Amino acid sequence: MDGGDLLWTTVIGIVLVLGLCGVVVPVLPGLALMWAGALVYGFLVGWSGMGIGIMVALSLLVVTSLVAGFLVPRRAAAYSGASGLAQLGGLVGAIIGFFVIPVVGVIVGALVGLLVVEYLRNDDWGLAWTATKGTARGFGVAILIDLGLGTTMLMLWAIWALTVLF
């Protein structure tokens, strides 16, 4: 076992754990950080056959996350009656919330933006609230999917790291 490999494995392991935390703490980039950490790891310790295979698997998991992160909340919003305009309002609210409220502003802003636009569109708080709850559920499911994908990414990387160290 090379001392440098141990150091890099420890540092990148911490980066991957921080990335996994980023799934629930919107300040951190989440799975993208995990993927980037694994990519850097490959350049630092070398690309074994297993490393290349695991990097391909991690890339597929990140793409799956991106697709699910887009489709699941959008479908949940549509299913619960949120209009496309309200979803756009949620996007604008998320951007504003990011700058106004630290850590949770993206989520709060998105939901408030959707609620307000849906209310203005229908003039009915009940419909607006139903659409907002459905969208929030969709975001929750997307986060759970990302947690599962991120945990899988961490386990795959750990298998690679073990082959590097031992």
Side-chain angles (χ1 to χ4, degrees):
M1 173 175 37
D2 182 307
D5 288 348
L6 179 60
L7 172 67
W8 291 124
T9 300
T10 303
V11 169
I12 297 298
I14 291 168
V15 168
L16 267 69
V17 169
L18 285 174
L20 187 59
C21 292
V23 170
V24 291
V25 180
V27 174
L28 300 170
L31 301 189
L33 179 62
M34 295 178 76
W35 182 86
L39 182 66
V40 168
Y41 186 71
F43 287 113
L44 291 171
V45 301
W47 294 99
S48 65
M50 176 175 279
I52 292 170
I54 287 179
M55 199 64 218
V56 168
L58 297 181
S59 298
L60 292 173
L61 292 171
V62 169
V63 169
T64 301
S65 167
L66 291 172
V67 170
F70 176 76
L71 288 181
V72 171
R74 186 170 166 87
R75 287 197 177 172
Y79 181 76
S80 63
S83 67
L85 185 61
Q87 292 177 46
L88 182 60
L91 176 63
V92 171
I95 293 167
I96 293 169
F98 176 79
F99 294 105
V100 175
I101 306 170
V103 183
V104 296
V106 171
I107 296 167
V108 172
L111 296 176
V112 168
L114 188 136
L115 178 69
V116 169
V117 171
E118 196 61 37
Y119 172 73
L120 292 173
R121 192 175 80 82
N122 289 316
D123 198 27
D124 183 334
W125 282 112
L127 290 175
W129 182 242
T130 299
T132 303
K133 287 189 305 185
T135 304
R137 236 178 267 116
F139 280 120
V141 170
I143 288 170
L144 290 175
I145 290 169
D146 274 0
L147 276 173
L149 293 171
T151 302
T152 302
M153 289 174 70
L154 187 59
M155 289 188 299
L156 287 171
W157 176 83
I159 292 167
W160 179 15
L162 288 172
T163 65
V164 168
L165 294 177
F166 301 105

